[in-house]
Amino acid sequence: FDSEYRDLAANVSRDIVSKNPGVSWTDIVGLEIAKKLLKEAVVMPIKYPQLFTGLLTPWKGILLFGPPGTGKTLLAKAVATECQTTFFNISASTIVSKWRGGS
């Protein structure tokens, strides 16, 4: 059981990009609405938590979806850079394969 956790941790740590992916908002061409919403939903609550109390609470989550090559990962990297957080690029199969069998 412990070896399964170790394997999962190794897979996840291999997928960690870095503390600072180095992607700025200006690196992303277009997607203005998505950038604005991500700044409102993620960046602002992290940078200014005192503004998001009481009735004005942060969003519960964000779902970026679409076909490959539409900028989802780039948007997420820009958020991680702006918020100075660690970026994890983990596919669902990385986690599911350990618990559901090889996928």
Side-chain angles (χ1 to χ4, degrees):
F1 195 67
D2 287 334
S3 66
E4 289 179 1
Y5 281 122
R6 257 186 255 118
D7 292 343
L8 179 62
N11 287 338
V12 170
S13 66
R14 195 173 45 242
D15 291 336
I16 296 174
V17 171
S18 68
K19 267 296 214 194
N20 184 0
V23 177
S24 70
W25 296 109
T26 56
D27 295 338
I28 304 169
V29 178
L31 302 175
E32 298 306 320
I33 295 171
K35 290 192 282 189
K36 180 180 175 235
L37 290 173
L38 281 170
K39 288 176 186 178
E40 178 185 325
V42 181
V43 176
M44 296 297 285
I46 289 175
K47 285 191 162 188
Y48 309 104
Q50 69 277 10
L51 299 177
F52 294 87
T53 58
L55 293 176
L56 186 62
T57 59
W59 295 19
K60 297 291 183 198
I62 300 290
L63 175 64
L64 300 174
F65 66 96
T70 55
K72 299 178 297 291
T73 303
L74 205 56
L75 286 167
K77 285 181 179 181
V79 168
T81 301
E82 178 84 15
C83 298
Q84 299 176 350
T85 58
T86 303
F87 176 73
F88 292 87
N89 187 19
I90 302 173
S91 67
S93 63
T94 300
I95 297 171
V96 172
S97 66
K98 285 294 175 199
W99 304 107
R100 303 280 259 179
S103 56

